Amino acid sequence: MSHGKIITLSSGAPLPQIGLGTWLSKPNEVENSVEIAVRNGYRHLDLAMIYENQDEVGRALKKVIPSVVKREELFITSKLWNSSHKPENVEKELDETLKLLGLEYLDLYLIHWPVAFPPGGFFPPHPTKKNEVAIDTETSLVDTWKAVIELLKTGKVKAIGVSNFTIEHIQGIVDATGVWPTVNQVEAHPLLPQDDLVEFAKKHNIHLTAYSPLGNNLIGQTKLVDYPEVKEVADKIGATPAQVLIAWGVYRGYSVIPKSVHEERIKSNFQQITLSKEDYEKIFAIGKNRHTRFNIPVTYDPKWDINVFNEPIERTATHKVKIA
Ligand SMILES: NC(=O)c1ccc[n+]([C@@H]2O[C@H](COP(=O)([O-])OP(=O)(O)OC[C@H]3O[C@@H](n4cnc5c(N)ncnc54)[C@H](OP(=O)(O)O)[C@@H]3O)[C@@H](O)[C@H]2O)c1
């Protein structure tokens, strides 16, 4: 069975270019999705502590390892949540993830977001402000990155990286430690092509993984799969709109991690098709002059001047991240 195109990371590890996303799968859905995916050739799984379903993923893994795949044939990514950024909590959360999954190691461990919350629940409430999350303004990204680097010595992670980091964030942690992240996982699709990050990543041999490749419509906008341009290309080449969007990310060199809990979609999303330059450009044009970000982490107090994305998007929470 073909397992799709493989990318080689700067760590030397092979990464299957299409993986399965697991966020927002309802209880009892993700166990089934992961099992179906692995039985149908997926070897790359994208997980996170905050998805609160790693126990279910662990149950699925028990069903497929070793009867369908050997552990070493899978590429499993998970992510450190914001409330475990304090250096003393980093390995603790990794251990909890490994326990939930029933695994000895992860192939890739990412800092999920470039913002720290104080310990105490996934979204510790702000001490005084209703509907706002508390921010840990003491722990810097460099503090956390140093603790993540230490994990490499434990053998519990094969490679380390970041997620939702801007160029400034990456430059900050590298200047302080000399250690480059292997991967930056970011939202990327035709409405948010991330050209500046692509160029930076290429220069420094960082691999970009594209999340929300179908443009998860959390903010109630038209789903990218329903855009006429996407449908038109799909009809022309006899593919599904989702396959066109996944191929668009593949064309740009990303690994792409669409999420689905439906068997037919899980299977068809994995059938890698190739876009011609002309079709790629037609889809690229969708985002011209109307960039949209679908994933905004939480509500921060604008007065704290937090700008997680370092860009002037209206909906972006503002918060000056403590890098060093
Ligand atoms: N690092 C981060 O901060 C971060 C943030 C967001 C996401 N992620 C990761 O990236 C993964 C993917 O992103 P995402 O879940 O936000 O969005 P996505 O994969 O772009 O879109 C998922 C949505 O598309 C639907 N879908 C899947 N296949 C389809 C198809 N063939 N045709 C039509 N609709 C289809 C799914 O519904 P059904 O399930 O009902 O099929 C779901 O509603 C996540 O699951 C997670 O692993 C990471």
Side-chain angles (χ1 to χ4, degrees), residues 19-26 29 33 45-48 50-51 79 81 110-113 162-164 185-189 209-218 223-226 240-243 245-246 256-266 268-269 294-295:
L20 181 77
T22 58
W23 184 40
L24 294 181
S25 303
K26 294 196 194 79
E29 285 181 337
S33 312
L45 304 173
D46 185 73
L47 320 173
I50 192 63
Y51 302 162
K79 313 184 193 88
W81 184 240
L110 308 177
I111 299 179
H112 203 148
W113 283 96
V162 296
S163 177
N164 299 299
Q185 182 181 123
V186 293
E187 178 174 340
H189 44 68
T209 296
Y211 77 66
S212 299
L214 312 179
N216 198 346
N217 69 335
L218 288 176
K223 285 182 98 169
L224 268 169
V225 283
D226 295 326
T240 68
Q243 284 171 339
L245 292 166
I246 293 163
V256 187
I257 48 172
K259 169 261 176 186
S260 181
V261 295
H262 294 101
E263 181 158 359
E264 282 320 306
R265 286 176 174 179
I266 293 171
S268 64
N269 289 350
F294 293 98
N295 294 263

Side-chain angles (χ1 to χ4, degrees), residues 49-311:
M49 180 59 98
I50 192 63
Y51 302 162
E52 295 187 79
N53 57 18
Q54 294 191 121
D55 53 340
E56 265 193 59
V57 175
R59 291 205 293 274
L61 292 177
K62 281 201 180 69
K63 291 187 191 161
V64 294
I65 304 172
S67 59
V68 180
V69 279
K70 295 187 192 128
R71 165 65 185 95
E72 57 272 26
E73 289 172 319
L74 291 175
F75 190 101
I76 301 181
T77 302
S78 188
K79 313 184 193 88
L80 176 81
W81 184 240
N82 307 352
S83 48
S84 293
H85 272 214
K86 286 200 183 300
E88 62 273 26
N89 292 335
V90 168
E91 191 171 351
K92 272 190 215 155
E93 185 172 303
L94 169 65
D95 287 343
E96 178 64 17
T97 281
L98 291 173
K99 197 169 152 202
L100 290 165
L101 295 172
L103 296 177
E104 304 273 303
Y105 70 92
L106 296 174
D107 296 278
L108 178 65
Y109 200 44
L110 308 177
I111 299 179
H112 203 148
W113 283 96
V115 62
F117 299 164
F122 285 140
F123 293 96
H126 188 280
T128 54
K129 294 179 180 154
K130 229 178 155 186
N131 300 327
E132 278 180 23
V133 74
I135 302 286
D136 171 359
T137 50
E138 297 301 313
T139 308
S140 72
L141 295 182
V142 169
D143 296 333
T144 308
W145 184 236
K146 282 182 177 164
V148 170
I149 292 168
E150 286 301 305
L151 297 177
L152 286 168
K153 296 183 192 152
T154 67
K156 296 178 200 171
V157 299
K158 301 275 183 208
I160 53 173
V162 296
S163 177
N164 299 299
F165 272 42
T166 63
I167 292 173
E168 189 194 3
H169 298 143
I170 295 178
Q171 203 64 67
I173 60 169
V174 173
D175 287 350
T177 63
V179 180
W180 286 86
T182 305
V183 168
N184 187 13
Q185 182 181 123
V186 293
E187 178 174 340
H189 44 68
L191 290 172
L192 195 66
Q194 304 276 22
D195 287 337
D196 56 342
L197 281 176
V198 169
E199 198 183 315
F200 182 79
K202 211 172 179 181
K203 194 165 154 204
H204 298 291
N205 204 11
I206 300 169
H207 174 70
L208 287 187
T209 296
Y211 77 66
S212 299
L214 312 179
N216 198 346
N217 69 335
L218 288 176
I219 58 174
Q221 289 201 355
T222 307
K223 285 182 98 169
L224 268 169
V225 283
D226 295 326
Y227 272 61
E229 296 92 329
V230 177
K231 285 183 167 175
E232 205 178 294
V233 170
D235 287 346
K236 189 180 96 180
I237 63 176
T240 68
Q243 284 171 339
V244 168
L245 292 166
I246 293 163
W248 182 88
V250 165
Y251 192 104
R252 290 173 68 79
Y254 304 139
S255 52
V256 187
I257 48 172
K259 169 261 176 186
S260 181
V261 295
H262 294 101
E263 181 158 359
E264 282 320 306
R265 286 176 174 179
I266 293 171
K267 287 181 184 169
S268 64
N269 289 350
F270 190 65
Q271 282 160 17
Q272 202 159 336
I273 58 145
T274 309
L275 289 187
S276 65
K277 187 163 186 293
E278 183 197 348
D279 289 339
Y280 163 78
E281 277 166 4
K282 185 168 186 151
I283 303 299
F284 187 84
I286 294 174
K288 279 219 167 107
N289 307 322
R290 50 167 167 171
H291 283 184
T292 302
R293 189 185 288 282
F294 293 98
N295 294 263
I296 302 298
V298 281
T299 308
Y300 302 127
D301 181 347
K303 276 191 243 106
W304 292 346
D305 188 27
I306 295 177
N307 189 341
V308 173
F309 299 113
N310 205 17
E311 62 181 59

